[in-house]
């Protein structure tokens, strides 16, 4: 421990001893976790009593659990007592006054992504005028959603306004004790989103469009719950191509999706958290639990993710295919460079008859980046005629990076079929030379080849995000060759 | 147009070009023939700027400038085009998109306006028609799963789109059926003009029936050992390379 860390640790400790209980008005809870912190969070959020019980239950279980170490990841141990588990949103006084005060490197990337100026300001956290175009747009959106009967609000609001739905569904897909990080999340989550789409309703807009114009305070412990009732459809986009910085190193989100009969949930993620410096220092640890259940017959859940950020990514969006004829899909692009490490993949649990799942995973590694695909396909006894197709491709740029594939297949029904294909390729000098001979710069050539490699996944993204994701990939791999 | 003087080039420490000299004037078509492994593809790749090859001595002047100083893309911007002996697959990269990006990169470098997709498609369609080529290849990924002949046609399509001032064709005729051969020749002939030069590498004199060269050179052991007119190709067809190599050795 160097001097600064020592000081910080001591400071943190004093803060903790001083206690927050005596100081209930404080906006940030001192670092440390115990039951009183959880009570405080629940009280601050004016949650119903059952939520507090639920959180405390999760906390008790968490205390007995151990941090998993099976992933292909190396990182320094997380000190859970050094984290502050509640902080109110920053006041406008701390925010930069104009874009001039924002890190020019960040602005350069916004520029390259083609993000409009007003949006740049929001992303960079510049205090913007209240009278600002997007506010009225947001109001229009909210009206449209309300007319359709769609509930779309923060998870805290949902706990107050729709406790019956929360009580019925929260934790049904990812139980409190599912895993170490999910248990921690259940105990302390403070942010997140709740979506309910009523029967036979097609959500009138991509829920991404909405986010684009609303600064979102993505927290360290987010919890998202999406319920698509019978015959409904929703497309939800989480994240943002713009690079996001955060002082919190550990992110442990939980996402639960529930698709009832004939419902279809399309969940897309673009993750571009700060990856740290070239040695990974300061980068985000992203430990996420995402799972959807196709509860009804003929329901469908589709995960699409583009993961370019974070220093550590630990993430396996999964589908539980309970309903007969239900469909699970996972399309993923994961980029690791510098010292980034990703251990990501999916789990497909086939329970109902004639269930089908498709997995397309594209891993790209450059520099010293390490990319692991970890996937489980389980065909239960009752999964008559179930089908899975897995395509798992790795692309290497340079020879110091690595790609690893860990497919697990368990088949308990003889009529079920599982297909697995895997390839590993390198961006060849031949390919680069071919492109350059045709007048393309080396950078454009890399971006073109990589985007070609990821095409099947980008095809699944909502239009406007596919365009941005392509640019993002190009920026993420700038200077990776040569 | 192009002046190569005493060019020596090696790869992995192995010298392949050993004092090659060649002068090409504007508007001329030069054919290069020679046994396998004599350095024909090496010459074309050195001219196109492949960095693996190390030029150890000699000079290459193109339009009055030192070609060896330029990056591969700069050479392309300056009008050098190489049809590859073995075109490269780019999985997932749409062929039309690739060609548009290529044309626009070159136009941009020259300060010309870029073509939007609509105008580009119009342009491609007219070129396809002239080549009697099937549009289906446009929708596929660049060279991915193309047959040998399809790849070569695709190279020619790119060439006539980019309208280079120096075109290097490395065995574009190899592996082509008769119709494709005619098509390729037609494409090449349609580009012939007083300000455009072509370097055609081939093993078969048959191609030279369609593309009438101004000069024929024999490359052997990394050097040009004989130059002549079209009749040299006929002579080679009859006698092979042995007699020339013996003469050169003597
Ligand atoms: N990377 C390499 N390392 C070592 N030798 C190489 C390499 N690339 C090419 N060569 C050698 O250089 C020589 C010339 O090759 P080149 O491809 O130029 O011949 P070519 O005249 O085009 O032959 P062909 O008619 O068969 O196409 C060959 O002996 C080849 O094996
Ligand atoms: Mg050759």
């Amino acid at each position: 421990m160097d001097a600064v860390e020592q000081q910080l640790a001591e400071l943190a400790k004093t803060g903790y001893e001083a206690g927050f209980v005596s100081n209930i008005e404080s906006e940030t809870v001192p670092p440390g976790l115990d039951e009183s912190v959880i009570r405080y969070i629940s009280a601050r959020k004016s949650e119903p009593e059952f939520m507090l019980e639920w959180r405390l239950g999760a906390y008790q279980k968490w205390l007995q659990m151990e941090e998993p170490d099976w992933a292909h990841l190396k990182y320094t141990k997380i000190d859970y007592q050094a984290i502050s588990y509640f902080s109110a949103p920053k006041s406008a006084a701390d925010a930069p006054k104009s874009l001039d005060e924002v890190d020019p490197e960040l602005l350069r990337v916004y520029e390259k992504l083609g993000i409009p100026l007003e949006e740049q300001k929001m992303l960079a956290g510049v205090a913007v005028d209240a009278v600002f175009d997007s506010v009225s747009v947001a109001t229009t959106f909210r009206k449209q959603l309300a007319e359709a009967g769609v509930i779309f609000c923060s998870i805290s609001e949902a706990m107050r306004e729709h406790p019956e739905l929360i009580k019925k569904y929260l934790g049904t897909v990812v139980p409190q004790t599912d895993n170490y990080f999910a248990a921690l999340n259940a105990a302390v989550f403070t942010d997140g989103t709740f979506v309910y789409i009523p029967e036979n309703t097609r959500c009138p807009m991509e829920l991404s469009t909405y986010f684009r114009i609303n600064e979102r305070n993505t927290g360290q412990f987010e919890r998202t719950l999406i319920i698509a009732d019978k015959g409904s459809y929703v497309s939800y986009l989480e994240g943002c191509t713009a690079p996001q910085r955060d002082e919190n190193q550990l992110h442990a989100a939980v996402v639960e999706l529930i698709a009832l009969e004939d419902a279809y949930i399309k969940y897309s993620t673009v993750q571009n958290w700060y990856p740290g410096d070239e040695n990974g220092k300061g980068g985000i640890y992203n430990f996420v639990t995402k799972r959807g259940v196709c509860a009804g017959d003929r329901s469908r859940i589709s995960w699409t993710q583009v993961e370019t950020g974070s220093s550590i990514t630990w993430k396996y969006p999964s589908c539980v295919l309970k309903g007969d004829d239900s469909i699970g899909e996972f399309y993923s692009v994961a980029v690791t460079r510098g010292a980034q490490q990703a251990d990501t993949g999916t789990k497909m649990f086939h329970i109902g008859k004639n269930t089908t799942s498709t997995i397309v995973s594209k891993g790209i590694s450059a520099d010293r980046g390490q990319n692991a695909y970890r996937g489980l396909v389980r065909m239960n006894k009752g999964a008559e005629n179930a089908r899975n197709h897995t395509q798992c491709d790795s692309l290497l740029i340079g020879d110091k990076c690595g790609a690893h594939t860990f497919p697990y297949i368990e088949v308990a029904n003889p009529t079920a079929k599982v297909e697995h294909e895997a390839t590993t390729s390198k961006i060849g000098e031949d390919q680069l030379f071919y492109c350059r001979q045709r007048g393309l710069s080396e950078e454009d050539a890399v971006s073109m080849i990589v985007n070609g490699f990821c095409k099947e996944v980008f095809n699944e993204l909502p239009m406007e995000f596919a365009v941005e994701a392509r640019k993002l990939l190009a920026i993420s791999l700038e200077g990776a060759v040569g | 147009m192009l002046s190569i003087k005493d060019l020596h080039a090696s790869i992995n420490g192995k010298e392949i070009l050993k004092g090659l000299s060649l002068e090409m004037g504007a508007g001329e078509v030069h054919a290069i023939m020679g046994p396998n492994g004599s350095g024909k593809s090496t010459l074309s790749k050195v001219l196109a700027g492949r960095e693996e090859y190390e030029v150890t001595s000699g000079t290459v002047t193109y339009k009055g400038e030192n070609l060896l100083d330029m990056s591969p893309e700069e050479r392309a911007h300056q009008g050098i085009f190489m049809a590859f002996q073995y075109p490269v697959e780019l999985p997932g990269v749409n062929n039309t998109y690739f060609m548009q990006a290529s044309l626009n990169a070159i136009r941009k470098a020259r300060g010309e306006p870029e073509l939007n997709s609509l105008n580009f498609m119009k342009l491609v369609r007219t070129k396809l028609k002239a080549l009697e080529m099937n549009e289906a290849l446009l929708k596929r990924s660049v060279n991915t799963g193309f047959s040998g002949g399809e790849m070569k046609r695709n190279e020619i399509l790119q060439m006539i789109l980019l309208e280079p001032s120096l075109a290097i064709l490395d065995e574009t005729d190899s592996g082509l059926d008769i119709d494709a051969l005619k098509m390729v020749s037609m494409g090449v002939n349609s580009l012939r003009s007083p300000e455009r030069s072509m370097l055609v590498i081939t093993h078969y004199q048959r191609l030279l029936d369609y593309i009438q060269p101004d000069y024929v050179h024999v490359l052997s052991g990394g050097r040009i050992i004989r130059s002549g007119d079209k009749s040299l190709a006929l002579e080679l067809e009859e006698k092979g390379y042995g007699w020339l190599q013996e003469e050169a050795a003597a």
Side-chain angles (χ1 to χ4, degrees):
Chain A
M1 210 187 280
D2 66 24
V4 180
E5 279 177 33
Q6 186 98 38
Q7 262 180 335
L8 280 174
E10 267 163 26
L11 206 76
K13 220 168 146 214
T14 20
Y16 186 63
E17 277 164 0
F20 53 87
V21 188
S22 58
N23 184 12
I24 205 124
E25 292 311 312
S26 112
E27 288 305 281
T28 299
V29 159
L33 182 57
D34 62 15
E35 280 201 13
S36 56
V37 174
I38 294 163
R39 286 179 197 283
Y40 176 78
I41 291 171
S42 197
R44 275 292 299 246
K45 298 265 163 194
S46 319
E47 289 175 358
E49 183 61 25
F50 75 85
M51 271 313 301
L52 177 61
E53 295 302 319
W54 194 77
R55 286 178 182 276
L56 291 174
Y59 174 66
Q60 285 308 326
K61 304 267 176 44
W62 179 74
L63 286 175
Q64 289 152 29
M65 295 168 94
E66 270 180 43
E67 196 172 328
D69 60 0
W70 43 262
H72 195 88
L73 302 169
K74 285 197 194 106
Y75 57 95
T76 41
K77 275 255 169 259
I78 300 162
D79 179 359
Y80 294 92
Q81 295 303 335
I83 295 170
S84 167
Y85 290 85
F86 183 88
S87 72
K90 275 210 175 134
S91 76
D94 296 339
K97 304 281 173 295
S98 76
L99 280 178
D100 298 339
E101 293 176 27
V102 174
D103 179 3
E105 173 61 20
L106 212 59
L107 294 181
R108 193 186 66 87
V109 177
Y110 290 165
E111 206 64 52
K112 279 212 157 188
L113 285 167
I115 296 171
L117 210 65
E118 287 305 320
E119 263 185 57
Q120 289 190 21
K121 285 187 190 163
M122 284 200 315
L123 290 166
V126 173
V128 278
D129 255 354
V131 206
F132 161 39
D133 253 9
S134 76
V135 175
S136 58
V137 181
T139 315
T140 319
F141 281 171
R142 225 169 285 143
K143 222 174 116 198
Q144 272 182 34
L145 288 172
E147 274 164 17
V150 170
I151 303 172
F152 179 57
C153 60
S154 78
I155 194 112
S156 313
E157 193 181 329
M159 282 186 282
R160 292 189 300 268
E161 307 294 324
H162 310 281
E164 68 301 338
L165 287 172
I166 294 287
K167 205 165 185 174
K168 187 167 174 192
Y169 291 110
L170 191 77
T172 58
V173 189
V174 179
Q176 289 155 296
T177 51
D178 188 79
N179 66 69
Y180 190 78
F181 299 107
L184 178 63
N185 175 289
V188 302
F189 73 94
T190 46
D191 299 278
T193 310
F194 177 80
V195 178
Y196 173 79
I197 316 289
E199 263 183 53
N200 298 320
T201 302
R202 198 182 158 86
C203 185
M205 70 189 70
E206 297 264 355
L207 289 182
S208 60
T209 324
Y210 184 95
F211 286 139
R212 294 309 306 278
I213 55 152
N214 279 272
E215 187 192 0
R216 210 157 63 102
N217 231 333
T218 319
Q220 212 177 346
F221 301 102
E222 274 198 297
R223 187 145 194 134
T224 300
L225 175 60
I226 300 178
I227 302 146
D229 213 326
K230 291 178 188 167
S232 68
Y233 168 79
V234 62
S235 166
Y236 181 94
L237 194 129
E238 159 204 58
C240 175
T241 50
Q244 298 180 71
R245 291 186 187 238
D246 194 287
E247 295 109 65
N248 300 315
Q249 185 171 40
L250 173 68
H251 280 236
V254 170
V255 176
E256 297 181 278
L257 309 183
I258 295 145
L260 301 182
E261 245 169 70
D262 296 297
Y264 177 14
I265 302 176
K266 190 171 166 59
Y267 192 105
S268 317
T269 304
V270 175
Q271 184 267 116
N272 191 19
W273 290 106
Y274 182 55
D277 65 12
E278 63 194 83
N279 294 314
K281 205 165 182 313
I284 302 285
Y285 292 180
N286 199 22
F287 293 89
V288 188
T289 306
K290 291 184 165 173
R291 193 174 306 143
V293 56
C294 284
D297 293 350
R298 296 168 305 277
S299 55
R300 176 173 172 192
I301 287 178
S302 178
W303 299 100
T304 307
Q305 59 174 25
V306 177
E307 304 277 326
T308 63
S310 299
S311 70
I312 306 271
T313 299
W314 180 98
K315 182 177 174 190
Y316 316 91
S318 307
C319 297
V320 181
L321 304 172
K322 253 191 203 156
D324 290 347
D325 301 290
S326 61
I327 300 171
E329 291 161 306
F330 174 72
Y331 301 95
S332 168
V333 166
V335 181
T336 53
R337 68 171 303 189
Q340 279 180 291
Q341 308 171 62
D343 193 302
T344 183
T346 183
K347 294 177 196 162
M348 294 288 175
F349 301 99
H350 292 253
I351 297 168
K353 296 190 195 76
N354 304 314
T355 46
T356 51
S357 62
T358 304
I359 298 172
V360 178
S361 161
K362 305 279 182 177
I364 301 160
S365 320
D367 308 326
R368 286 168 294 138
Q370 294 292 326
N371 218 320
Y373 167 80
R374 190 180 301 276
L376 167 68
V377 177
R378 178 182 295 158
M379 305 292 193
N380 277 17
K381 218 162 171 190
E384 206 68 27
N385 290 315
R387 296 278 176 275
N388 162 267
H389 182 84
T390 300
Q391 173 76 47
C392 183
D393 300 319
S394 309
L395 186 69
L396 304 177
I397 304 174
D399 45 22
K400 290 195 195 70
C401 52
H404 317 272
T405 311
F406 306 100
Y408 306 92
I409 297 169
E410 299 167 13
V411 180
N413 185 305
T415 62
K417 277 213 178 78
V418 179
E419 293 167 2
H420 180 94
E421 287 174 52
T423 66
T424 300
S425 52
K426 271 191 148 184
I427 286 203
E429 286 295 324
D430 284 336
Q431 289 178 318
L432 288 176
F433 179 63
Y434 188 76
C435 296
R436 294 176 73 190
Q437 206 306 298
R438 298 299 189 253
L440 301 168
S441 68
E442 187 161 54
E443 217 163 80
D444 288 347
V446 170
S447 139
M448 193 177 265
I449 294 165
V450 171
N451 275 301
F453 175 76
C454 299
K455 191 175 166 186
E456 290 152 279
V457 175
F458 287 166
N459 283 348
E460 298 297 323
L461 284 175
M463 250 310 245
E464 80 257 34
F465 268 94
V467 174
E468 278 189 26
R470 265 182 214 117
K471 288 191 207 154
L472 172 61
L473 212 58
I475 295 169
S476 309
L477 290 169
E478 251 176 26
V481 176
Chain B
M1 174 71 65
L2 184 73
S3 167
I4 307 174
K5 292 208 170 83
D6 195 30
L7 184 65
H8 290 254
S10 51
I11 185 156
N12 296 332
K14 183 180 160 202
E15 185 163 74
I16 311 287
L17 300 182
K18 302 169 182 171
L20 186 145
S21 299
L22 180 68
E23 296 291 328
M24 285 177 73
E28 293 173 0
V29 174
H30 292 235
I32 291 194
M33 303 182 80
N36 294 130
S38 57
K40 302 181 299 296
S41 295
T42 302
L43 172 63
S44 52
K45 285 185 232 170
V46 168
L47 292 178
R50 179 86 196 223
E51 280 144 355
E52 283 174 3
Y53 293 88
E54 192 194 352
V55 174
T56 48
S57 69
T59 58
V60 181
T61 314
Y62 169 70
K63 291 182 176 172
E65 285 186 54
N66 181 0
L67 185 71
L68 300 175
D69 273 353
M70 300 180 202
S71 68
E73 54 269 40
E74 279 168 334
R75 298 180 199 207
H77 302 158
Q78 297 294 326
I80 291 186
F81 177 90
M82 167 177 154
F84 285 59
Q85 180 175 5
Y86 304 107
V88 182
E89 295 191 358
L90 302 176
V93 178
N94 175 273
N95 204 17
T96 310
Y97 175 73
F98 178 73
M99 288 192 250
Q100 187 183 351
S102 157
L103 180 64
N104 279 338
I106 291 173
R107 293 180 71 107
K108 195 172 165 193
R110 292 180 184 160
E112 296 165 15
E114 298 181 35
L115 289 188
N116 64 23
S117 300
L118 201 71
N119 290 332
F120 179 76
M121 273 320 289
K122 273 190 201 150
L123 180 68
V124 175
R125 289 226 169 83
T126 53
K127 303 286 184 191
L128 275 175
K129 216 168 185 179
L131 289 176
E132 293 169 31
M133 233 177 104
N134 185 345
E135 236 187 90
L137 287 184
L138 290 180
K139 300 201 181 82
R140 292 178 43 189
S141 297
V142 180
N143 296 323
T144 310
F146 284 21
S147 77
E150 285 169 344
M151 285 194 192
K152 299 299 177 76
R153 284 173 195 243
N154 199 46
E155 293 288 288
I156 294 302
L157 174 62
Q158 293 180 54
M159 180 182 79
I160 60 174
L161 271 171
L162 300 179
E163 302 185 317
S165 22
L166 173 63
I168 304 161
L169 283 78
D170 191 357
E171 293 198 32
T172 305
D173 57 327
S174 293
L176 289 188
D177 63 34
I178 308 285
D179 290 342
L181 186 67
K182 283 188 187 152
M183 184 224 96
V184 166
S185 315
M186 203 166 63
V188 171
N189 287 330
S190 75
L191 276 189
R192 276 185 100 144
S193 86
E195 59 277 357
R196 193 168 282 136
S197 310
M198 310 212 194
L199 189 62
V200 181
I201 296 169
T202 182
H203 285 294
Y204 306 105
Q205 107 80 24
R206 190 185 52 176
L207 176 71
L208 306 179
D209 285 342
Y210 296 108
I211 305 172
Q212 298 273 338
D214 300 302
Y215 300 94
V216 175
H217 309 277
V218 177
L219 179 55
S220 176
R223 312 177 51 176
I224 289 183
I225 56 167
R226 177 67 66 100
S227 298
D229 60 13
K230 199 186 165 293
S231 63
L232 178 58
L234 287 166
E235 208 175 345
L236 290 170
E237 180 100 332
E238 210 175 289
K239 301 200 230 167
Y241 294 112
W243 61 286
L244 275 179
Q245 284 167 319
E246 276 161 33
E247 268 186 39

